[in-house]
Amino acid sequence: MDAILLSRLQFAAATMFHFIFVPLTLGLSVLIAGMETAYVRTGKELYLRMAKFWGKLFLINFVLGVVTGITLEFQFGTNWSRYSAYVGDIFGSLLAIEATAAFFLESTFIGVWVFGWKKLSPKAHAIVAWLVAGAGNLSAVWILIANGFMQNPLGYVIRNGRAELNDFMAVVLNPFAWQQFAHTILGAFCVAGFFVLGISAWHLARKSHEEFFNASLRIGAGVALAASILVAVQGHFHGNEVARVQPVKLAAMESHWETRANAPMYLLQIPGENGNVLEALPVPSLLSILAYNDPNAVVKGLNDVPAADRPPVAITFWAFRAMVGIGTIMPLIALFAWVKRRDIGKYPWFLKLLPWAIPLPYLGLQAGWIVAEVGRQPWIVHGLMRTSDAVSPISGGQVGFTLAAIIVLYTLLGAAGFFLAGRAVKQGPDAAR
């Protein structure tokens, strides 16, 4: 078995499973802090109950996120030791900052939040809730700065056969990383909004705790609508940055083969690995406009890139379309929920539909992550180190065994997590008092 392919599959499996839990932690923590703040300002116990109910689901999700993220750190040493040796001076320092300055703070504040309900004043407890949300999102900042270095390496020099840090601020202020952060965080708010929206609708369809879940649904609808619009708008600017820094990834996203000005976008297109199988219904200059905000801009094609430097076109193309398609559906659902929020009970079909919409932002984020990571190939650090040069000198059998073990372990963890979350949802807000 191929150790490189298996190592990539193992990291992809672990990352994508871990990334099921991370976005909800980021988005829901802010919503809970907002609920506690509303309780402090209005004195309405409804908001306190909301913070406790959604906080219980947040805690289940947070624990699973932590547990499933542990193996990722180990894989840099076990499966990707050459990568760690080559860029560890930069990448390792960013992960260390994330762990000490963000994750440990978040974990500490969560402990205070869980055990502080009867020991802190409502105002102090709400401040702790905001600290939990702030530390969690700060953790995402450092993780995405580390990933941003892999997408657009800055602030380094090659010395003694390895990349060494020589400009910390260039790494921290990497514009590609901040575009990724904004896109990811807005996606996380989509996850939180649709999560609250879907679970609230599930209860309302059963006429259960109607005052509580009507209020929750209004919050979820507002967050889902705002975030799903903003993530689409910000995605355009992120796409501009991809076009500037990674034109080959952009070409793969669009299966664009010939370098040309006034590049069209095809409404009907089927990609192949050496050219398009089908191209129809072109919209003149649209790709140039979307990539560079200029109808006359030249868009680089894949035929001007050596085959060895091209990412897998079909995977990148279809993952990008899945992300964009989901990003088109989400605002429509959220808009209907927001417009009908005051008499949502008149639309039982919609209440039954909303729980099924919960996976949409999750799928959108996963598709976006595939675009970001597969579209960067064959580079593990863009233009600096190839993925094939980064893998550890280990056998395919060893990687295959650990891959199987991780799949089994994560399946058990996922089953336990979904069972606990499902039980908490069914029990409703009274059980979270």
Side-chain angles (χ1 to χ4, degrees):
M1 290 184 280
D2 186 343
I4 298 175
L5 177 61
L6 289 172
S7 292
R8 289 179 63 188
L9 288 174
Q10 181 169 318
F11 197 81
T15 303
M16 294 178 77
F17 193 81
H18 173 61
F19 205 56
I20 292 174
F21 305 103
V22 172
L24 185 60
T25 297
L26 299 177
L28 193 57
S29 62
V30 175
L31 267 65
I32 292 167
M35 292 167 185
E36 282 213 53
T37 302
Y39 169 61
V40 171
R41 295 187 64 179
T42 66
K44 293 183 179 178
E45 191 170 339
L46 174 65
Y47 291 116
L48 178 62
R49 294 175 63 210
M50 289 168 68
K52 289 187 175 183
F53 172 73
W54 296 110
K56 187 175 182 179
L57 293 169
F58 164 81
L59 289 174
I60 295 169
N61 186 80
F62 173 78
V63 170
L64 285 164
V66 171
V67 173
T68 55
I70 291 174
T71 62
L72 292 172
E73 305 279 350
F74 285 108
Q75 286 183 48
F76 290 118
T78 56
N79 295 37
W80 303 102
S81 60
R82 286 171 173 154
Y83 166 79
S84 299
Y86 191 68
V87 299
D89 187 57
I90 305 162
F91 195 79
S93 62
L94 297 173
L95 292 188
I97 293 171
E98 185 274 334
T100 54
F103 174 70
F104 288 150
L105 279 178
E106 182 185 17
S107 301
T108 302
F109 291 139
I110 284 178
V112 176
W113 186 82
V114 171
F115 297 106
W117 287 108
K118 296 181 180 178
K119 301 181 185 300
L120 298 174
S121 68
K123 186 175 181 179
H125 202 273
I127 292 173
V128 172
W130 281 110
L131 292 173
V132 169
N137 284 272
L138 182 62
S139 181
V141 167
W142 288 107
I143 291 294
L144 289 168
I145 287 176
N147 186 266
F149 176 78
M150 299 169 74
Q151 305 285 348
N152 180 34
L154 297 173
Y156 71 94
V157 293
I158 301 299
R159 186 183 294 138
N160 301 318
R162 59 195 292 269
E164 296 184 2
L165 182 66
N166 79 331
D167 188 344
F168 181 70
M169 292 310 297
V171 175
V172 171
L173 299 177
N174 186 343
F176 198 100
W178 285 100
Q179 289 283 358
Q180 276 197 316
F181 172 75
H183 204 54
T184 306
I185 289 299
L186 288 170
F189 278 104
C190 289
V191 168
F194 274 87
F195 183 78
V196 172
L197 195 56
I199 291 175
S200 300
W202 186 84
H203 274 280
L204 290 174
R206 288 158 179 75
K207 302 191 181 303
S208 165
H209 304 282
E210 290 184 88
E211 180 189 10
F212 181 96
F213 284 109
N214 268 314
S216 291
L217 183 139
R218 288 194 287 271
I219 293 173
V223 171
L225 178 60
S228 58
I229 292 174
L230 288 174
V231 76
V233 174
Q234 192 278 332
H236 171 71
F237 297 106
H238 186 29
N240 291 158
E241 190 69 12
V242 171
R244 186 182 71 82
V245 176
Q246 298 179 328
V248 181
K249 178 189 285 185
L250 174 76
M253 288 161 62
E254 299 295 346
S255 192
H256 178 69
W257 291 88
E258 300 296 332
T259 299
R260 58 181 294 187
N262 308 110
M265 178 174 283
Y266 295 92
L267 299 181
L268 185 58
Q269 191 175 13
I270 298 177
E273 290 302 321
N274 296 300
N276 287 328
V277 176
L278 174 65
E279 287 180 348
L281 304 177
V283 180
S285 300
L286 183 56
L287 182 54
S288 293
I289 294 172
L290 291 176
Y292 297 102
N293 301 318
D294 178 1
N296 299 312
V298 175
V299 180
K300 188 173 185 177
L302 289 162
N303 282 335
D304 283 351
V305 180
D309 290 346
R310 296 174 195 160
V313 176
I315 296 174
T316 311
F317 175 91
W318 289 117
F320 179 62
R321 268 141 190 81
M323 180 183 71
V324 172
I326 290 170
T328 305
I329 295 170
M330 287 194 306
L332 299 176
I333 296 174
L335 178 62
F336 190 85
W338 173 253
V339 171
K340 302 298 181 183
R341 66 190 184 281
R342 299 191 188 285
D343 55 357
I344 197 80
K346 295 180 180 176
Y347 305 91
W349 62 270
F350 190 60
L351 291 175
K352 293 176 182 176
L353 170 71
L354 283 175
W356 295 101
I358 292 176
L360 283 178
Y362 285 101
L363 295 173
L365 280 168
Q366 296 282 355
W369 202 243
I370 290 172
V371 173
E373 299 305 299
V374 175
R376 191 187 60 232
Q377 299 304 317
W379 305 99
I380 193 167
V381 181
H382 184 245
L384 183 62
M385 185 181 202
R386 288 180 182 273
T387 306
S388 56
D389 297 329
V391 73
S392 299
I394 52 179
S395 70
Q398 290 173 303
V399 185
F401 175 77
T402 54
L403 172 60
I406 282 177
I407 290 173
V408 172
L409 174 64
Y410 278 22
T411 301
L412 293 175
L413 284 172
F418 290 126
F419 170 76
L420 291 172
R423 189 175 67 172
V425 168
K426 289 179 180 177
Q427 288 175 337
D430 290 343
R433 285 176 182 273

